[in-house]
Amino acid sequence: MRNFVFFVSLRSNVPFVLKEALRMVENGHKVSVFFDLDGARVLDKNYVKVRKRNHNVDLDILLQNAVDKGIKLFGCQMNVLIADGLELIDGAELAGVVTFLEKAYEADAVLSY
């Protein structure tokens, strides 16, 4: 089993990252996904309506599948692009740079999108 960490800064990359993360978990790997900057918007409960309009896939289903499969989803606690802060979807948690670094140092690979 290998350990992978994805770092997502653009929400347009989220469908690809989640599909790839799900594929990796199905192959027996451990996966964590950190969302920062624009990418963190997809974890925000207030972004639900925009998620449904702006992507060609149902991100709600992908996010729920990720949570159900044990993929750890982290939203940056210091996200400056979301004025009111993040109100995270169920199954995601806030994390800072220390958490990211801990996961990154333990990982076999860190992939940035």
Side-chain angles (χ1 to χ4, degrees), residues 1-72:
M1 174 174 73
R2 295 182 67 197
N3 183 2
F4 294 92
V5 173
F6 286 92
F7 184 85
V8 184
S9 59
L10 292 173
R11 64 183 152 185
S12 60
N13 292 329
V14 171
F16 168 77
V17 169
L18 290 175
K19 288 176 184 178
E20 184 63 17
L22 286 163
R23 186 187 66 74
M24 289 175 160
V25 167
E26 288 172 3
N27 288 321
H29 302 298
K30 181 179 176 185
V31 178
S32 298
V33 183
F34 284 81
F35 297 84
D36 192 16
L37 303 171
D38 182 59
R41 291 182 190 277
V42 301
L43 295 180
D44 191 355
K45 286 182 180 179
N46 299 314
Y47 186 68
V48 164
K49 291 177 184 156
V50 177
R51 271 197 310 261
K52 291 182 190 280
R53 283 194 319 259
N54 287 355
H55 300 281
N56 292 328
V57 296
D58 191 334
L59 281 180
D60 293 326
I61 290 173
L62 283 175
L63 288 164
Q64 188 59 54
N65 285 343
V67 170
D68 292 346
K69 299 282 185 182
I71 296 172
K72 294 290 196 178

Side-chain angles (χ1 to χ4, degrees), residues 74-94:
F74 298 96
C76 179
Q77 68 186 16
M78 297 292 290
N79 198 313
V80 295
L81 292 180
I82 301 173
D84 298 332
L86 289 172
E87 185 180 344
L88 294 177
I89 61 169
D90 294 336
E93 59 186 271
L94 287 176

